[in-house]
Amino acid sequence: MSKVLVIDDEKMMVSLVRQVLSEADFKVDTALAGDDGLRKFTGGDYDLVITDIRMPGTDGHQVVNFIRASERGKTPVIGISGTPWLLKDSAFDRVLAKPFSIKSLIDTAQSLVTASN
């Protein structure tokens, strides 16, 4: 079972993504802030990270840059954003535009985890 870390400051989004991915046989851990997500990433072993881009404090850009600079820098990272066109040349493996479909979330998560194994 693949382990996913979901980072978003919106509780409703975290709850939705956790439910959808859990039903698709992912083990899901969550964080409601970027700095909490970085602590969990450092102490955990994740196959995929999904992070919101715009969050107070540590944002999604800082999250992906931290991951890329870490020993597990090849961990796939999905950014979720209401303005995906601003992320064209970013360090994210994929960007999902809000609102995204449940199918696109599951398909993107499965393809990135499969490709990284």
Side-chain angles (χ1 to χ4, degrees):
M1 182 178 289
S2 298
K3 191 170 179 186
V4 179
L5 174 61
V6 178
I7 308 168
D8 198 314
D9 61 320
E10 295 179 39
K11 289 181 182 181
M12 193 162 159
M13 180 63 76
V14 168
S15 178
L16 172 71
V17 173
R18 178 201 310 255
Q19 180 180 354
V20 166
L21 292 179
S22 293
E23 289 176 10
D25 291 327
F26 287 92
K27 182 173 178 2
V28 182
D29 198 2
T30 63
L32 291 172
D35 56 346
D36 187 34
L38 294 181
R39 277 192 295 279
K40 288 185 176 188
F41 179 81
T42 300
D45 186 24
Y46 297 98
D47 300 298
L48 174 67
V49 175
I50 300 173
T51 183
D52 187 17
I53 307 300
R54 297 187 67 178
M55 298 181 286
T58 303
D59 68 13
H61 294 288
Q62 292 167 304
V63 169
V64 75
N65 290 335
F66 178 89
I67 291 169
R68 295 295 177 243
S70 76
E71 291 178 2
R72 290 175 283 143
K74 295 201 183 295
T75 302
V77 182
I78 299 172
I80 51 177
S81 173
T83 55
W85 56 89
L86 298 177
L87 303 171
K88 186 176 180 184
D89 297 319
S90 69
F92 296 97
D93 294 281
R94 293 279 189 336
V95 175
L96 291 178
K98 289 180 180 177
F100 49 83
S101 71
I102 290 172
K103 180 177 179 2
S104 68
L105 174 63
I106 293 170
D107 289 350
T108 303
Q110 288 174 335
S111 71
L112 287 174
V113 167
T114 301
S116 70
N117 286 335

